[in-house]
Amino acid sequence: MHIANPGRLAGWLAATLVLAFGLLLAPALLAQETADRETATAVVGVTPDTWRLVRSGEVDANFRDSRADSNYNLVNASGEGWRQWRNRWVSPFGLIAIGGMALMIALFYLLVGRKTLDEPRTGRLLLRWSVLTRALHWSVATLFILLALSGLNLLYGKFVFRPLFGDAIWGAMISASKVAHNYLGPLFGVLLVVLLLKLLRHNLPSREDLTWFKKGGGLTGKGHVEAGFANAGEKVWYWLLASAGVAVILSGLVLDFPNFGQARDTMQWANLIHALGALGLTAVALGHIYIGTLGTEGSFEGMKSGYVDESWAKEHHSLWYEEVKESAETPPAPAQSSPPEDGTLPQRPT
C-alpha cells in the first residue's frame, strides 16, 4: 500500500498520542491541583522548606512535637507510634489469635470428636445453676457476643464489608457498631462484675487443679480426673475474665468517657489495652463456647435448664457430686390425658 504523505500521517499519530496521554494524565493532575488548593487553604503559608522540616523528624515548637499530650502541633510522634502499634501488631494479633483458635477447634472436632458420657444417663438430676446465675450468664454472654461482633467490625470491617457493600451500607454498619459498642459496653461491665462476684467461691484454686492440668482435663494419662464444682479449665476462664476482662472494661470506660481530662497518651494506651484484651478474650471465648455446647455432652443442658444428669456430674465434677448426690431427684413424668372410654375426643370449650 502506498502512503501519499508519510510526514502528515506521522504528525497525526503524534498528535493522537499526545492527546491520549493528556487524557490519561488529566485526572491525576486535577487531583494534585485540588490537593494543592486544599493544602494552601488549610495551612496558609506552608512552603516546601516547611514540609522538609516536618519530614526531617526534628522536634520543633511549631511543626513537630514528641509530647504525647500535644493537641496543637502539625505532627505528633506519639500518635504515629500508636498507629504503628495498632496496625502492625494489634490487628494481626487479633486475626492470628481468633483464626488460630477457630482452626484448632475445627481440627480437634474432626480428629477427636465430641466428648460423650462414659456411663449411660440415670435420669436423676442435680441442680447446678440457679435461675439468677443463668440469667446473669446469658445476659453477659449475649452482650459479649454483640460487643465482639461490633468491635471486630470497627477493627476489620472496612477491609471486608466496604468492598462488598459499598460506602453507604458500610457507613451505616460502622455507625451502628460504634453506637452499640459504646452503649452496651458499660452495661456488660456491670453485669460481668456481678457474675464474677457471685461465682468467686467456686473458682478459688485447689490442689486438684494441678492434677487436672497434668492430665489435660482427662485427655492424657489414665484414671478419672477429679474436680469440684469448677474444674481447673473453668477456673482459668474465670480468672481471665477477672483480669483481662476487667482491664478491657476499665480501658473501655476511659475511651467511652473522654471528657474527664484524659491526655492523649492515656487514650492511646487505653485503646491498645482494650483491643489486645478484647481480641484475646474473644479467641478464648470460642473454646469456651465449643466446650459448653457442641464439644461436651450434657454441658449446655445444665446452663439451659439449671439441672445436670447424675452421670454427667460424676464424670466431670466428681468431688462436687459427692457433696450433693443425696439431693438428686427424678423429674416427674409429663402428665398424659387418657381418651374417654367411648373413644370420642374431648370438645374444645366455646
Side-chain angles (χ1 to χ4, degrees):
M1 180 177 66
H2 177 69
I3 299 177
N5 194 337
R8 180 177 294 179
L9 178 60
W12 277 106
L13 290 174
T16 303
L17 290 174
V18 171
L19 178 61
F21 183 75
L23 291 174
L24 292 175
L25 194 60
L29 293 175
L30 182 60
Q32 181 63 41
E33 183 183 356
T34 303
D36 292 340
R37 285 202 305 267
E38 292 177 354
T39 302
T41 303
V43 189
V44 181
V46 174
T47 64
D49 290 334
T50 302
W51 289 116
R52 277 191 284 272
L53 284 173
V54 172
R55 295 181 60 187
S56 68
E58 296 181 5
V59 175
D60 185 90
N62 296 317
F63 305 123
R64 188 179 181 94
D65 199 340
S66 63
R67 291 177 296 172
D69 59 352
S70 170
N71 57 8
Y72 56 86
N73 293 87
L74 191 60
V75 176
N76 178 260
S78 175
E80 176 61 18
W82 164 82
R83 190 183 73 85
Q84 295 292 340
W85 272 95
R86 182 179 185 271
N87 294 344
R88 293 189 178 184
W89 298 99
V90 176
S91 294
F93 161 76
L95 292 176
I96 294 172
I98 296 174
M101 178 62 75
L103 180 61
M104 288 173 57
I105 291 172
L107 289 175
F108 185 86
Y109 180 74
L110 293 175
L111 297 177
V112 179
R114 188 186 193 199
K115 178 66 175 70
T116 58
L117 294 175
D118 296 334
E119 300 292 335
R121 299 181 183 226
T122 65
R124 290 168 55 81
L125 302 180
L126 291 164
L127 178 63
R128 181 165 174 82
W129 304 111
S130 66
V131 174
L132 176 60
T133 304
R134 282 183 286 136
L136 283 170
H137 173 270
W138 287 118
S139 299
V140 170
T142 302
L143 289 173
F144 184 95
I145 293 173
L146 292 175
L147 290 169
L149 293 176
S150 58
L152 290 173
N153 188 35
L154 291 171
L155 189 58
Y156 305 111
K158 64 181 178 181
F159 304 111
V160 179
F161 300 116
R162 190 178 185 183
L164 288 176
F165 303 125
D167 288 343
I169 295 179
W170 175 76
M173 291 177 61
I174 213 72
S175 178
S177 296
K178 183 177 182 298
V179 171
H181 208 80
N182 290 345
Y183 281 93
L184 295 179
L187 177 59
F188 167 79
V190 172
L191 293 179
L192 177 61
V193 171
V194 174
L195 181 61
L196 290 173
L197 292 175
K198 194 172 189 316
L199 298 178
L200 175 60
R201 64 187 181 91
H202 296 305
N203 288 275
L204 298 176
S206 62
R207 277 186 242 173
E208 294 78 17
D209 297 337
L210 294 176
T211 305
W212 194 95
F213 282 124
K214 289 178 181 179
K215 295 188 176 182
L219 294 177
T220 61
K222 298 180 180 180
H224 179 73
V225 181
E226 294 185 337
F229 186 91
N231 61 42
E234 293 167 335
K235 291 179 182 180
V236 168
W237 173 237
Y238 174 91
W239 288 108
L240 278 175
L241 289 174
S243 55
V246 172
V248 169
I249 293 170
L250 295 178
S251 58
L253 291 175
V254 172
L255 298 171
D256 231 354
F257 301 97
N259 52 326
F260 289 101
Q262 297 97 313
R264 180 179 295 185
D265 59 336
T266 303
M267 300 291 284
Q268 291 167 355
W269 277 109
N271 179 270
L272 294 177
I273 293 171
H274 189 79
L276 284 171
L279 290 169
L281 286 177
T282 301
V284 181
L286 293 179
H288 174 73
I289 294 171
Y290 168 76
I291 294 173
T293 54
L294 183 63
T296 308
E297 179 186 356
S299 294
F300 182 77
E301 299 170 13
M303 190 52 72
K304 179 183 177 182
S305 66
Y307 290 87
V308 294
D309 190 87
E310 264 189 329
S311 296
W312 184 92
K314 190 185 301 183
E315 182 172 331
H316 295 285
H317 301 274
S318 57
L319 298 179
W320 171 70
Y321 168 74
E322 292 297 329
E323 296 175 2
V324 299
K325 63 181 179 180
E326 300 301 329
S327 62
E329 56 185 26
T330 303
Q336 297 180 354
S337 57
S338 57
E341 295 181 0
D342 58 1
T344 60
L345 296 176
Q347 297 294 319
R348 178 180 299 174
T350 57

